[in-house]
Amino acid sequence: MLTAIKNSKIDITSEKSTKEFAEKLTSYFGGGEHIFLYGDMGVGKTTFVRYFINKIQINDKLSISEVTSPTFNLLNEYKTNNLVIKHYDLFRIKNNSEINDLDIFEKNKNTITLVEWPQIIVNKNNTKSIDLLFSYENEFKNRSVQIKVLN
């Protein structure tokens, strides 16, 4: 269960370890979840999202998508057999009021919502969520992620 690994620090220094972590996490999500990804630029958030989405597509026997950061359009959507995966990037959002128009907190059991740069969000509306805290370590030589399960 996901709570068994929460608050543990997972090494994702290599791209292979990031891929393995993302692919493992897909088995815990079936829809209705919100995953907030925190961390500095270049620490692996979008790489994680790419492997996460691609694993779900592979499981559904779909072609894999090119997953890029939605920095300029704020949202990319990916449809699988049973789910819609919404990938937000809030890096360019300057105030919390802009978030209301994005429908991030939509309650839909057929949607997985992934949000990069969620620091701007003041109120998560009591949303059950997973926080993934990506960080650099050892003078930028290593990367890790910590899982926080909320609600």
Side-chain angles (χ1 to χ4, degrees):
M1 169 159 246
L2 190 58
T3 54
I5 57 174
K6 75 177 183 177
N7 297 325
S8 56
K9 196 176 276 191
I10 299 152
D11 179 35
I12 57 163
T13 299
S14 71
E15 188 164 341
K16 181 181 181 213
S17 60
T18 303
K19 178 181 181 184
E20 289 169 354
F21 172 65
E23 290 179 348
K24 181 177 181 180
L25 276 190
T26 62
S27 65
Y28 295 104
F29 300 104
E33 298 89 4
H34 287 73
I35 305 165
F36 297 99
L37 297 95
Y38 295 85
D40 293 334
M41 199 167 290
V43 77
K45 298 181 301 292
T46 303
T47 300
F48 166 85
V49 170
R50 179 178 72 236
Y51 287 124
F52 183 91
I53 291 169
N54 288 165
K55 177 63 173 168
I56 292 172
Q57 291 171 326
I58 289 166
N59 290 348
D60 283 355
K61 297 177 178 39
L62 300 171
S63 298
I64 61 171
S65 299
E66 181 180 340
V67 176
T68 59
S69 179
T71 301
F72 295 103
N73 54 347
L74 303 178
L75 169 65
N76 290 337
E77 284 190 11
Y78 305 88
K79 293 183 181 5
T80 67
N81 292 342
N82 301 312
L83 295 169
V84 173
I85 303 169
K86 293 186 175 186
H87 177 204
Y88 290 92
D89 185 324
L90 305 182
F91 184 75
R92 294 185 319 117
I93 300 292
K94 297 301 177 213
N95 64 60
N96 198 56
S97 64
E98 294 177 61
I99 293 170
N100 296 334
D101 297 332
L102 297 177
D103 207 16
I104 290 174
F105 298 103
E106 169 190 27
K107 303 270 190 230
N108 186 333
K109 65 180 181 174
N110 296 321
T111 301
I112 296 174
T113 303
L114 301 153
V115 182
E116 293 189 52
W117 301 98
Q119 294 87 329
I120 189 77
I121 299 172
V122 174
N123 181 3
K124 292 184 181 175
N125 299 332
N126 295 318
T127 300
K128 182 176 183 180
S129 63
I130 310 297
D131 284 356
L132 297 180
L133 312 172
F134 290 78
S135 60
Y136 286 110
E137 297 185 357
N138 195 19
E139 297 178 12
F140 297 96
K141 293 177 185 159
N142 302 92
R143 293 175 295 139
S144 66
V145 64
Q146 186 173 7
I147 300 171
K148 284 179 57 181
V149 179
L150 307 173
N151 290 343

